[in-house]
């Protein structure tokens, strides 16, 4: 098939399908269609129509959940048990966006507070910002698209979404559901390409009012630097999420959530547990328990219901993560577990006290490993947790409320989870990286705010 993108199963690299790609001409057609739809204010959908489309899309997705679950597992390599959760979240996200419109409104601005403002009534209304360009990542190939597209549809922005080249099928299937639910194609389109230059043209076109980017910090910050004046954006990158295990914590109670947060989707999550700082008095017990639980993780084909850890998205990623582990091992780091299951799949590992300058200590691994470091003073652990250029979500496990709140106040993070892992998220809570980890705020209601603008209307009613 000419001009097609080959999509492979992440686990065994078997070909799933060949997806037609877009070129420069099709990008121009889609941008013109989106800009034209937005320019026709009489054609804007009323809130009740947008609510109806979002709810109908949720119903259609529910009816095809098995198909979407298997698609996520195949193209993205996410274990089926977690793919089931992703589809459930996606359905809820559509409903959440529809429900949010019941309270999505402006407010009255008080007048008459001075003589000059007397006899006036002022209020704000919400308007869509304009055309949205959404560039997405592979690791949640359905739900990340929901995070970007559902808010745009809800507020009335035409959206062009570019899925990751490795996982476009979930996105294409979802957009077709929006069309089936009654949304005109001009209001929700896809750009399928592995051409970075074409993706950059989408992001930086002057007709785009808002860029939603989920992916690497290097690409996100580069695109932000290229945006035309006035274009707004939200960037969601990653980090090396820290977890502190306070001396009052009970290792028996906390291993399960830490393992879930660290090895879920083979660690390919932007807030995956990566750096675990454990009080020295607990180190031996904690490591023994962590080693035992990690050894029990079932690794293999993501389409099998029992699989807990599947492949990395590309074989080259297994090579990269393996090289980082080897670097740490060469520096004397103790490695627990690890090894290779297949070309695409690594066995989970634990690295004990890797050097501070090792890649696994200072960069986002995006692989099935965690690093454990000992500490004696809580403030020292907090300083180490805050020492990188990334700041997203963090957590502390503690049975001492004083220590927990002490850490919560001092950890440099957009969210501090107490007695929970760093990868916890609901789709209606704010989700944002600080510093190099991101810009703007995610989460469906918060993204709706980002994709809208307030317009103030002032009525002079002097008789």
């Amino acid at each position: 098939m000419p001009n097609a993108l080959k999509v492979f199963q992440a686990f065994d690299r078997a070909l799933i399908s060949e997806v037609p790609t877009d070129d420069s001409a099709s990008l121009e057609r889609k941008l013109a269609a989106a800009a034209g739809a937005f320019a026709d204010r009489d054609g804007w959908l009323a809130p009740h129509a947008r609510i109806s489309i979002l709810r109908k899309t949720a119903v259609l997705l529910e009816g095809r959940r098995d198909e979407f679950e298997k698609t996520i597992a195949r193209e993205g390599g996410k274990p089926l048990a977690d793919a089931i959760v992703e589809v459930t979240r996606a359905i809820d996200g559509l409903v959440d966006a529809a429900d949010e419109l019941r309270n999505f409104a402006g407010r009255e601005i008080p007048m008459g507070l001075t003589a000059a403002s007397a006899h006036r009534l002022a209020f704000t209304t919400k308007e869509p910002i304009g055309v949205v360009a959404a560039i997405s990542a592979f690791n949640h190939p359905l739900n990340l698209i929901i995070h970007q597209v559902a808010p745009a549809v809800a507020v009335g922005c035409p959206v062009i979404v570019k899925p990751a080249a490795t996982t476009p099928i979930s996105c294409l299937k979802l957009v077709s559901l929006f069309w089936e639910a009654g949304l005109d194609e001009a209001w929700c389109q896809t750009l399928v390409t592995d051409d970075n230059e074409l993706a950059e043209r989408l992001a930086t076109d002057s007709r785009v009012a808002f860029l939603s980017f989920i992916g690497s910090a290097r690409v996100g910050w580069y695109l932000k630097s290229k945006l035309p004046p006035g274009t707004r954006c939200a960037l969601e990158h990653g980090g090396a999420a820290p977890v502190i295990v306070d001396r009052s914590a009970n290792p028996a109670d906390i291993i399960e959530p830490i393992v879930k947060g660290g090895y879920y989707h083979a660690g390919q999550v932007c807030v995956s547990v990566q750096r675990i700082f454990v009080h020295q008095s607990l180190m031996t017990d904690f490591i023994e328990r962590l080693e035992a639980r990690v050894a029990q993780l079932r690794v293999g084909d993501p389409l099998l219901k029992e699989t807990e850890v599947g492949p990395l998205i590309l074989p080259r990623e297994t090579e990269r993560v393996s090289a980082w582990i080897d670097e740490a091992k060469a520096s004397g780091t103790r490695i627990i577990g690890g090894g290779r299951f297949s070309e695409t799949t690594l066995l989970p590992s634990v690295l004990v006290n890797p050097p501070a300058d090792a890649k696994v200590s200072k960069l986002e691994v995006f692989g099935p490993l965690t690093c454990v470091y000992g500490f004696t003073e809580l403030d020292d652990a907090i300083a180490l947790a805050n020492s990188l250029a990334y700041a997203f979500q963090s957590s502390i496990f503690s049975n001492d409320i004083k220590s927990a709140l002490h850490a919560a106040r001092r950890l440099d993070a957009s969210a501090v989870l107490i007695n929970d892992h760093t990868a916890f998220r609901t789709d209606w809570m704010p989700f944002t990286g600080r510093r190099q980890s991101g810009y703007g705020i995610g989460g469906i209601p918060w993204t709706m705010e980002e994709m809208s603008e307030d317009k103030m209307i002032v009525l002079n009613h002097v008789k």
Side-chain angles (χ1 to χ4, degrees), residues 150-165:
V153 172
V155 302
C157 290
V159 57
I160 302 172
V161 56
K162 192 204 89 64

Side-chain angles (χ1 to χ4, degrees), residues 227-403:
L227 296 180
T231 303
R232 286 172 21 193
C233 69
L235 311 177
E236 184 180 309
H237 302 146
V243 173
I244 295 174
V245 179
D246 178 51
R247 66 191 307 164
S248 65
N250 183 352
D253 296 335
I254 68 176
I255 292 298
E256 200 61 37
I258 286 177
V259 168
K260 182 63 178 180
Y263 300 91
Y264 160 62
H265 199 7
Q268 297 171 114
V269 180
C270 61
V271 286
S272 177
V273 170
Q274 182 172 323
R275 298 177 297 145
I276 309 171
F277 301 96
V278 181
H279 193 271
Q280 286 289 1
S281 65
L282 303 178
M283 274 287 279
T284 299
D285 186 18
F286 179 86
I287 290 174
E288 287 177 355
R289 291 177 183 275
L290 181 62
E291 178 180 5
R293 181 64 186 92
V294 169
Q296 294 171 354
L297 289 170
R298 296 183 293 274
V299 181
D301 187 343
L303 286 169
L304 300 177
K305 291 183 178 180
E306 64 268 20
T307 297
E308 295 175 283
V309 178
L312 298 186
I313 188 62
L314 290 168
R316 68 168 182 260
E317 290 300 297
T318 65
E319 299 298 331
R320 177 188 60 79
V321 175
S322 295
W324 289 15
I325 294 172
D326 290 342
E327 176 200 53
K329 187 176 181 179
S331 300
T333 301
R334 177 187 171 196
I335 311 294
I336 298 172
R340 188 181 289 272
F341 182 87
S342 71
E343 177 194 16
T344 63
T345 309
L346 296 178
L347 295 169
S349 60
V350 179
L351 283 65
V352 181
N353 284 318
D357 61 352
K359 290 184 177 67
V360 295
S361 294
K362 65 181 184 179
L363 300 174
E364 182 178 33
V365 173
F366 236 56
L369 68 82
T370 56
C371 301
V372 181
Y373 313 82
F375 74 88
T376 54
E377 298 296 331
L378 180 57
D379 281 339
D380 292 339
I382 293 170
L384 288 169
N386 292 342
S387 65
L388 302 183
Y390 314 103
F392 214 135
Q393 299 197 159
S394 62
S395 78
I396 178 169
F397 287 85
S398 177
N399 289 321
D400 180 348
I401 189 65
K402 183 178 179 180
S403 295

Side-chain angles (χ1 to χ4, degrees), residues 129-134 203 208-212 231-234 447 450-451:
I129 191 171
V131 176
V132 170
V208 170
F210 188 88
L211 169 64
S212 171
T231 303
R232 286 172 21 193
C233 69
T447 301
E450 296 260 301
M451 291 180 178

